[in-house]
């Protein structure tokens, strides 16, 4: 009897069976290796993700301008380290950059050397307190770490986190908000959006959310992910503010800002609602957030499918994020800095469409529309408002100085003595890390400022309709027809054949019959 054959172990790609090649993106040159056998194939550079990297760079540019300190940024799933190298070559010593990989650092260090950057190893120490300032970083210096993303995010604090997972992103969400600082920004890339349409049980397993295949599946997936981010942030007593949500092919780029405070976490959780979806006409409406059940939820839908067809015609999806998925003021800032960040033409087109959607959202508001229009026309209005508040505070302080001059003098002397004592203590103990300054001289904003601007959830794909005696126009023409009838309408970047409007399906059909009816 012959001896059993031993199973061949996987062999690491060597120089003999791997083709070495380089790619260049925004003056950054990195390795892009391909193996000859299927088991050795590894693609480190995805050209489709260039738009996500450009928007991430523009987001970091705005955040760095608004920050008073040097921001600590990390690419937790670096792979080739392309994004981290772009940040360092663009911002130089204005930010502190860290790139982390779970495997060997040889390829990452080689890419840094290829771009004339020196690397320093970050050795994780369990005795180190998260949030302790890192050592100063020079213009051409970057910090690398061989560690899993979940472990690094639990052991260190950052102001800006960029996550680009290859498959599932649910395993990283809970680790993000554990040490994400106040006003910190997360840019999350969500791959394989088609999973939400074909594998409902997998979505339920990962995100504890019920979904089905719909015409607006991309925005449905985005609201599922944002709802998961809100739940994870609330566990750490933090609320989230959605800056923007960008859809491209089978990917999503979601950017959110963290706000510390249990009251903000509670308000964000109030935005998690169930969605009532009609399975026949695909009309939908968010169910109100209440403990008592609704007697007849079909009355909330504008369609009459339940009365015309037997059985249960609607299903409940969710829970989902029901708040806005765009911040028009932040998008206007990205648009104003497009030339500074050297955004490509394709990224600019997507950004313009996103701003049109945000403009349609603004137009639906009655009380906040004028204020948001002013902010869009003047992106620097926030800084002006802060200065005006400081002036008013100074005037009020001058009025109070006449009554409390002696008390203020004593307090100022004690403050000077305390600061001098801290300075002498730091000089005597230079090894002791310096205290980290605040990122911005603003207090935590109210919850009404985070989610007060109105929004239009979801969109309609009109090209799938079968309307008799009606010729369906193009999306641009349909938008103009709806606007002429007094509705709010715009195109959406989620689907080029869909329209985002406040009109329901019955009203859209009435507009089509009025303007596009075909006479026989």
């Amino acid at each position: 009897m012959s001896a059993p054959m031993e199973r061949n172990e996987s062999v690491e790609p060597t120089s003999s069976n791997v083709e070495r090649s380089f790619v260049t993106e925004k003056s950054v040159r990195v390795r892009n290796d391909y193996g000859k056998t299927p088991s050795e194939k590894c693609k480190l550079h995805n050209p489709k993700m260039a738009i996500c990297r450009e928007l991430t760079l523009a987001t970091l540019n705005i955040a760095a301008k608004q920050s008073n300190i040097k921001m600590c940024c990390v690419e937790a799933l670096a792979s080739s380290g392309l994004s981290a190298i772009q940040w360092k070559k663009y911002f130089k010593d204005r930010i502190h950059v860290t790139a982390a990989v779970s495997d060997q650092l040889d390829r990452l260090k080689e890419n840094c050397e290829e771009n004339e950057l020196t690397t320093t190893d970050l050795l994780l120490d369990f005795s180190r307190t998260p949030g302790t300032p890192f050592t100063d970083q020079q213009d051409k210096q970057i910090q690398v770490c061989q560690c899993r993303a979940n472990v690094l995010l639990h052991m260190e604090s950052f102001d800006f986190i960029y996550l680009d997972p290859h498959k599932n992103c649910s395993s990283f969400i809970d680790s993000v908000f554990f040490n994400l600082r106040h006003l910190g920004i997360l840019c999350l890339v969500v791959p394989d959006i088609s999973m939400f349409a074909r594998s409902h049980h997998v979505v339920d397993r990962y995100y504890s959310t019920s979904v089905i295949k719909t015409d607006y599946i991309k925005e449905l997936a985005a609201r599922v992910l944002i709802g998961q981010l809100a739940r994870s942030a609330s566990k750490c007593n933090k609320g989230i503010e959605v800056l923007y949500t960008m859809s491209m092919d089978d990917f999503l780029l979601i950017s959110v800002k963290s706000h510390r405070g249990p009251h903000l976490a509670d308000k964000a959780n109030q935005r998690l609602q169930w969605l009532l979806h009609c399975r026949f006409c695909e009309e939908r409406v968010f169910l109100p957030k209440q403990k008592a059940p609704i007697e007849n939820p079909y009355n909330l839908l504008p369609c009459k499918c339940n009365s015309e067809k037997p059985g249960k015609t609607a299903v409940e999806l969710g829970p989902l994020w029901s708040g806005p998925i765009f911040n028009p003021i932040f998008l206007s800032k990205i648009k104003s800095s497009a030339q500074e960040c050297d955004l490509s033409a394709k990224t600019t087109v997507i950004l313009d469409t996103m701003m049109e959607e945000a403009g349609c959202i603004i137009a639906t508001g009655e009380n906040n529309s004028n204020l948001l229009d002013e902010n869009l026309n003047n992106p620097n209005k926030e800084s002006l408002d802060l200065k005006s508040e400081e002036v008013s505070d100074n005037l009020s302080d001058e009025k109070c100085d006449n009554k409390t001059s002696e008390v203020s003098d004593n307090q100022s002397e004690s403050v000077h003595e305390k600061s001098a004592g801290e300075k002498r203590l730091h000089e005597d103990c230079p090894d002791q890390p310096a205290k980290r300054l605040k990122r911005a001289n603003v207090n935590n904003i109210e919850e009404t400022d985070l989610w007060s601007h109105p929004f239009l959830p979801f969109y309609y794909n009109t090209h799938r309709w079968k309307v008799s005696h009606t010729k369906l126009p193009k999306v641009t023409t349909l938008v103009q027809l709806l606007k002429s009838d007094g509705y709010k309408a715009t195109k959406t970047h989620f689907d080029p054949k869909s329209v985002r409007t406040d009109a329901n399906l019955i009203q859209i059909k009435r507009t089509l019959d009025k303007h596009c009816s075909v006479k026989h």
Side-chain angles (χ1 to χ4, degrees), residues 196-330:
F196 288 81
R198 69 174 186 268
S199 304
H200 309 152
H201 61 285
V202 179
V203 177
D204 192 7
R205 186 199 316 151
Y206 286 163
Y207 307 106
S208 300
T209 305
S210 174
V211 296
I212 61 173
K213 184 177 180 180
T214 61
D215 289 344
Y216 51 92
I217 188 64
K218 290 188 176 181
E219 185 173 347
L220 186 68
R223 292 186 177 275
V224 169
L225 265 299
I226 297 174
Q228 184 70 12
L229 292 174
R231 283 191 293 267
S232 299
S234 63
K235 298 176 184 177
C236 303
N237 291 331
K238 298 175 183 177
I240 65 169
E241 175 191 3
V242 184
L243 301 179
Y244 58 84
T245 303
M246 192 271 294
S247 173
M248 182 196 62
D249 293 341
D250 202 25
F251 298 92
L252 283 176
L253 176 61
I254 301 175
S255 180
V256 298
K257 180 182 288 188
S258 172
H259 293 270
R260 187 189 305 127
H263 64 290
L264 294 176
D266 296 337
K267 291 294 182 180
N269 277 337
Q270 293 297 321
R271 294 286 180 171
L272 300 178
Q273 297 177 248
W274 289 86
L275 182 73
L276 188 63
H277 170 84
C278 180
R279 301 174 65 183
F280 288 89
C281 66
E282 293 211 351
E283 194 67 83
R284 57 271 179 174
V285 63
F286 279 107
L287 297 178
K289 188 89 171 182
Q290 61 184 24
K291 295 182 179 180
I294 302 176
E295 293 184 2
N296 190 2
Y298 292 101
N299 292 335
L300 300 177
L301 292 170
C303 64
K304 300 179 181 179
C305 297
N306 181 252
S307 59
E308 296 175 354
K309 299 176 177 61
K312 299 179 179 179
T313 59
V315 293
E316 290 184 357
L317 307 180
L320 309 173
W321 173 260
S322 63
I325 60 175
F326 298 107
N327 188 334
I329 301 176
F330 193 84

